[in-house]
Structures are given as C-alpha cells and as structure tokens.
Amino acid sequence: MTGTPNAVEINLSAAIVAVANNDPLILTTPSGDDAERDELPFGPFNPLQHRTFETGLREWVAEQTPLRLGYVEQLYTFGDRGRHKTAEDRDLHIVSVGYLALTRTTDDNKEALRKSGARWRSWYSFLPWEDWRTGKPVMIDEMIRPALHAWAEKSGVPARLSRFRLAFGDDGIAWDEERVLERYELLYEAGLIEEAVRDGRAERTELSRMLGLPMSFDHRRILATAISRLRAKLKYRPVVFELMPPTFTLTALQETVEAISGRHLHKQNFRRLVETTELVEPTGAEQTQARGRPAALYRFRHNVLEERSVAGLRVGGRG
C-alpha cells in the first residue's frame, strides 16, 4: 500500500511475557511474509473502532491469540523512519506504540494457542547474550567483543569502545542487566545482527546468524525495550507476582526472578531480601517435593501496596 508522503499508520505491538520451567517466555505469532520468522502480536489502531490505544491492543491480541491480557503498560513509541523497511521506503510511515503485558501460562490455552499459530518462545533465543544465570555467556568474549572492537577500530571512533564496555560490562565495568536496549542497538548499529542485514545496513555474516533469532520489523528492539523495563521494575514494584501462581514456594519465586533478571541469586541472600521487603506471607500449607522435605507455600501480601510506594526486589546491578 502506497500512501501520501505525510501519511502515518499507528500500530499497536504487544510484548507478552510469561515464565514457565524457569524460562522467560515471549508470545510470538508467525510473520505473514515468512512463517519461519517470529513477530509480536500487533495490529493497526482504528480511531473509529478503538476508544484508546490499550483497548485496540487488547482487541488485536484477543483476535490473534486465545489470551485475555491482565497487566498491561505502555513502553515507548517507536517512530524512526525505515523501521518497517520497504522497497525505496516510500510506503506509509509506520509508528508503533509498544506495550509490555504480563500473564501466566496455563494448560487450558495450549491447544488454542497451537491452532492460532501463536507460540511461546524463550526470550533468550532472541537475545542470547542476556542470560547470565550460569555466568557470563561465552559468546560475549568469543564473538561479540572481537566484532565490536574491529568495528570501533575500523571507524576510528574510540567512543564506540566505551559504549561496548558500558553496555556489556567489560574491562572492570559491572554488568548492568537493565541495559538490554543499549546492547541490542549497539549490535544493530555495528551491523552484527540479522535485522541490520535485512535493512540493507550490513552484509550477512556467520556471526549475524548466531546472535539470536531475528524478528519482523523492529520487534526485537521492542522486545529488548520490554525486558529492560521489566528488569528495572522488578526492583521497585511487585510485578513479579503477575507471573506467579496464587501460591508458590520461595524457590519458585527465586527462579522466576532469576529467569527475568538473567542473574543467579544466592539462596540465603534472596530469602533475607524477601523477608525484609515483607512482600509475601505464609499460607500455612506445604508443597510435596520429589526429594527432601515438603516446601512451605507463600502468597503475595497485597497490603504492601497500601503501605509503601516502592515495593520490589532490589536484585542486580543498579542500587
């Protein structure tokens, strides 16, 4: 579809997150152009049909998947020219309003998801350098560091090395799990990922095939923004409980926080943190385990929202 030079279409895109089996998941739908490529659920905003952007987003998600969204918050408006690359870039200018949504996986909707074509994927399959739960990913030192150093040296811009050190926690600088978007954009600018190749900004290399699965349009950028927001929000709002069942063990809570933050957490330190923040309370019930003693079950203590404005689990890099 070709529009006038000033024509703009507003798209609503949803980064829908869940956690299952200690894996952070993002809901994807198959691309209309390439069934092998994933994209986020999205659709155009229709001002005659949708009262608000969020209303439109919920309707598009319900149409494309069997999910009914609970927690939703707006992320950012993505309006860069060329973000939906087309021949000669003369089509409608696309502005996308990105949203973060949190939900829980259930056995009830598995078949419905399959029929819709939507599927859950680990978000680390798109951004593999973000998972530090078992230590620093090998690909950072073996692949990303040499490639970014070569790019910086070729350009003659020393500041690019500083950006790498800050983004990836190199040369004595601590890893900051919240810099997800900075890392993605640096890799894109350096032409090291498939989206840069697709947009005609770089040549395809073996490395670009290894640095995570590509997504349609700039949906991987939206995903990176969603992860950044969620990792930051864990520290001052109890959003993690949107991803938990009504009752849970402290081990399950820790594993969910680790999955989202991409960090391994010391068990006793985490439990002290949970006790200090008073975010949970015991139910009095226990969960039988395959080995060892039964584990106590807890629930989120909703009164904490009335007691203080900052109520999160301050794990990770930023204090």
Side-chain angles (χ1 to χ4, degrees):
M1 178 179 178
T2 302
T4 61
N6 295 321
V8 173
E9 178 180 298
I10 297 175
N11 273 351
L12 308 168
S13 303
I16 304 172
V17 176
V19 176
N21 300 320
N22 305 334
D23 207 7
L25 306 175
I26 188 76
L27 189 71
T28 67
T29 55
S31 167
D33 298 328
D34 182 356
E36 295 301 314
R37 179 178 293 158
D38 291 292
E39 58 191 29
L40 300 175
F42 78 100
F45 173 68
N46 183 341
L48 300 180
Q49 179 181 346
H50 304 140
R51 185 175 60 85
T52 66
F53 284 173
E54 185 175 320
T55 299
L57 179 84
R58 291 179 182 275
E59 290 187 11
W60 277 116
V61 170
E63 181 176 315
Q64 296 174 21
T65 78
L67 294 182
R68 297 295 182 270
L69 298 182
Y71 178 94
V72 170
E73 70 168 270
Q74 191 175 127
L75 283 172
Y76 189 75
T77 299
F78 302 84
D80 297 355
R81 188 67 184 165
R83 61 176 300 277
H84 280 219
K85 192 71 175 178
T86 57
E88 299 182 3
D89 203 17
R90 290 180 179 175
D91 284 1
L92 280 172
H93 181 49
I94 306 294
V95 172
S96 184
V97 182
Y99 283 81
L100 168 66
L102 306 181
T103 189
R104 300 171 184 139
T105 60
T106 66
D107 292 334
D108 296 339
N109 60 30
K110 284 184 178 179
E111 181 61 19
L113 275 174
R114 188 189 66 79
K115 289 181 178 178
S116 72
R119 58 183 170 180
W120 292 108
R121 276 193 183 274
S122 170
W123 74 27
Y124 294 127
S125 64
F126 300 103
L127 304 166
W129 54 86
E130 292 295 334
D131 189 359
W132 284 58
R133 287 175 293 178
T134 58
K136 187 177 185 179
V138 172
M139 68 165 45
I140 292 179
D141 284 337
E142 292 190 355
M143 302 178 193
I144 293 174
R145 190 178 194 277
L148 285 176
H149 271 251
W151 171 66
E153 290 169 5
K154 183 178 180 180
S155 69
V157 182
R160 288 178 171 175
L161 286 178
S162 296
R163 288 175 60 197
F164 163 69
R165 288 194 290 269
L166 288 169
F168 283 90
D170 191 56
D171 195 21
I173 296 175
W175 168 265
D176 185 342
E177 72 275 6
E178 294 178 35
R179 295 182 181 267
V180 189
L181 181 59
E182 294 174 48
R183 288 185 279 273
Y184 174 79
E185 291 190 328
L186 184 59
L187 293 172
Y188 179 90
E189 186 180 334
L192 301 181
I193 56 176
E194 282 291 313
E195 284 83 347
V197 176
R198 180 201 63 205
D199 293 350
R201 303 174 191 272
E203 296 294 326
R204 177 168 283 109
T205 65
E206 186 63 29
L207 180 60
S208 67
R209 296 188 182 94
M210 300 175 70
L211 293 183
L213 298 174
M215 299 185 84
S216 296
F217 313 124
D218 61 351
H219 286 192
R220 198 155 42 146
R221 183 185 178 201
I222 296 174
L223 172 59
T225 306
I227 298 172
S228 293
R229 174 74 61 84
L230 184 53
R231 286 180 170 180
K233 203 149 192 173
L234 280 179
K235 300 172 186 178
Y236 64 90
R237 297 297 294 169
V239 291
V240 66
F241 299 102
E242 299 287 342
L243 301 166
M244 302 296 297
T247 63
F248 47 83
T249 66
L250 291 184
T251 296
L253 177 61
Q254 177 176 338
E255 289 171 345
T256 299
V257 173
E258 288 177 331
I260 295 296
S261 67
R263 285 180 171 272
H264 171 71
L265 304 173
H266 186 276
K267 182 176 180 179
Q268 295 306 320
N269 289 346
F270 179 79
R271 297 199 172 203
R272 278 195 292 270
L273 178 63
V274 171
E275 291 173 1
T276 302
T277 55
E278 299 180 325
L279 292 176
V280 302
E281 59 188 5
T283 66
E286 293 181 327
Q287 182 181 84
T288 303
Q289 302 187 104
R291 287 184 289 182
R293 296 183 301 174
L297 287 170
Y298 292 79
R299 59 177 165 246
F300 172 52
R301 194 171 68 83
H302 289 275
N303 287 348
V304 74
L305 297 173
E306 302 173 4
E307 296 168 0
R308 57 184 188 271
S309 58
V310 177
L313 294 166
R314 298 192 69 82
V315 299
R318 289 184 179 172

